[in-house]
Amino acid sequence: MRPKLNDVAREAGVSPTTVSRVINNHGYLSEKTKNKVFQAMKKLNYQPNSIARSLHGKQTNLIGVLFSSVSNPFFGELVEKIENKLFKSGYKTILCNSADNKEKERVYLNMLIANQVDGIIAGAHNLGIKEYEKVGLPIISFDRYLSSTIPIVSSDNYLGGVLATQELYQSGARKIYLFASSHTPNSPTDKRRTGYLETMEKLQLEAHEKVIASTMASSVKALMIKQILSTEQIEGIFCTDDLTALIVLQQAKELGIRVPQDLKVIGYDGTQFIQNYHPELTTIAQPINDMAELLVELLLKRVTDEQSELKEHYVLPIKLIRNQSSSQFM
Amino acid sequence: MRPKLNDVAREAGVSPTTVSRVINNHGYLSEKTKNKVFQAMKKLNYQPNSIARSLHGKQTNLIGVLFSSVSNPFFGELVEKIENKLFKSGYKTILCNSADNKEKERVYLNMLIANQVDGIIAGAHNLGIKEYEKVGLPIISFDRYLSSTIPIVSSDNYLGGVLATQELYQSGARKIYLFASSHTPNSPTDKRRTGYLETMEKLQLEAHEKVIASTMASSVKALMIKQILSTEQIEGIFCTDDLTALIVLQQAKELGIRVPQDLKVIGYDGTQFIQNYHPELTTIAQPINDMAELLVELLLKRVTDEQSELKEHYVLPIKLIRNQSSSQFM
DNA sequence: TCCCATATGTCAATCGTGCGTCATAAATTT
DNA sequence: AAATTTATGACGCACGATTGACATATGGGA
């Protein structure tokens, strides 16, 4: 049986009250007693039962972190950063991978409530606004509108779309396609798309959109992309995520389409992983670390003070990382 | 304020005891009352406070999942599978990224104890055996020996080393190098190494080892590998992880070393990610899904019944995925 | 009619800790 | 010597739900 506060008191030869005082550094305490208690705690390997403490109206220091999947490097890196920053502030992360499953997301939301988490960082958004509003807990959303009371953190998706398109144009491409991973209004991808469309219009070029659904198996994506590449004359492709861009590079190679000579490709996300292991890929890098930091900071602000006034939308700058896959070829 | 059991009772017009009985399906209950209570729960959006329930000696249904990092695709995929399987069994995952930091791992362990988790899946092992034994909770270890009472789940690292080496040999390589990500006895990498060394001896070939520390920044790794590739005559490389193998491929390309004509490369791990996005890489695939399943199954067995007899070591089979990077060239 | 299974309510203890109140005693200041 | 400050103990309530004991009521079957 795990030792309790009373066991520590007995071991240290003091009253339970004193032990509690030592733990919470509350009231008058002599160094001598403190030491006695600390030693007893160490000897018994005592850890205050945070369940009991939480029940007493205190915080649980648990934060629900809800994303669709951590096996995607982008979310993996983001979640890792979030977890790190939460840890530094003394909070624990309950990981929730909704796998784009509405039902799972709903069950998770209820679980989190039942577990009395202090707040939620939500990056998986298959549920309606209502369900999130019903939660009644501090929530910060990553990259999607949930409700007017839930602040959003995102990077500048629109500018990303603009820059990506301009980059392809400037490196010589004219027939520029958009490979979008989905097509839902209110989704970040959509603003990247808007950036693309408006820029194409300004450039007086015809827009071409292909939806490469993120739910498809990657082999299916590959097939689909191969099909497109082999039938259409394309000079530049803006993929709304890096992984799709990788498949494009792969398929282009198989078809003997040279990158960047015949085809220029630009991705989106710019994870550390992509930068390290695919330094050839031009991409729009989201500030993963800053986003994680802001998400945590805003959430903890709300957790500490429910009334704290937050903006509705925080947009962080993106950065074009220019590499060989989009370089001008002479 | 979140509704309590008493509020539900009032709303349903029954006693608190009855509500509790309905929730726990305990004692005699009429359908009529059950329905009244369920409706009241729904109306108030009531979630039983699991903190309070846990305090009552019940399980917390929280499991600590301790790995070094989820941004590494291998761990990302493994953790995601684990989280999924835990969820299916009604358990919640507390994610702990120790970042190979001893102190963080220790703090995490204490946090998990304080939070009364029902058990721990440990895949980060920077601490001594003692600290893990002291925990006094069901623990299952991934891939490393912690103590005789803590079962280990791993894949067949030794056989992986053997197969990898044989594959390189059979495809024609004679000067076969090992690029190991670390060199600690008791670590899985070490058995891969043993497999390599023994196979090389059987083949009467000279072994060559290089340590490409996993702690190094990938740019440093790249530099180091470039250096090695450009100074030594190598025909085959067995990398103890796929990411290192990717760097090898990358650097070989830069140096004009053709793969597989001049150099054959084989990696290790075989994540879905690698299979999808680097189908050219031959690799030893660990059964990520089966490992996750077994880890969870064993842990829950221990959680449910402390006394359940488990083996000390569970070794799951690996699989050679043969691709172009190691193919015989004629 | 009596009994028993079914259905619900009342009451109180319990889980481990936090914390306020009161009491007491020693140490320190005035 | 009196008044404070410092240090500790004892006690009890609270947190929200669980659970057992006990009481009571209804209905159906023997």
Side-chain angles (χ1 to χ4, degrees), chain B residues 301-302 305-310:
Chain B
K301 211 174 259 175
R302 269 276 165 89
D305 168 22
E306 279 191 46
Q307 302 311 320
S308 65
E309 285 290 324
L310 302 182

Side-chain angles (χ1 to χ4, degrees), chain B residues 16-57:
Chain B
T17 307
T18 304
V19 175
S20 175
R21 282 182 183 137
V22 171
I23 291 170
N24 297 286
N25 200 23
H26 184 265
Y28 293 119
L29 290 166
S30 69
E31 282 305 314
K32 215 180 72 188
T33 323
K34 277 193 202 171
N35 285 333
K36 268 196 300 185
V37 172
F38 283 136
Q39 275 178 33
M41 284 172 59
K42 203 164 202 171
K43 183 172 173 195
L44 299 180
N45 197 27
Y46 169 78
Q47 291 289 130
N49 183 333
S50 53
I51 295 278
R53 310 179 84 179
S54 306
L55 188 55
H56 226 272

Side-chain angles (χ1 to χ4, degrees), chain B residues 24 71 292 315-316:
Chain B
N24 297 286
S71 63
V315 180
L316 296 178

Side-chain angles (χ1 to χ4, degrees), chain A residues 230-286:
Chain A
S230 55
T231 54
E232 311 196 20
Q233 269 294 332
I234 309 182
E235 292 170 7
I237 301 178
F238 166 32
C239 300
T240 59
D241 67 297
D242 285 334
L243 298 186
T244 304
L246 290 188
I247 301 183
V248 168
L249 293 183
Q250 203 182 90
Q251 295 303 317
K253 194 174 175 189
E254 276 200 17
L255 291 168
I257 300 172
R258 293 168 306 166
V259 174
Q261 292 93 321
D262 309 331
L263 173 67
K264 303 188 198 307
V265 178
I266 183 166
Y268 207 106
D269 284 343
T271 53
Q272 204 52 54
F273 182 87
I274 285 289
Q275 291 187 42
N276 287 339
Y277 295 97
H278 292 277
E280 76 278 11
L281 180 66
T282 294
T283 185
I284 305 289
Q286 301 197 60

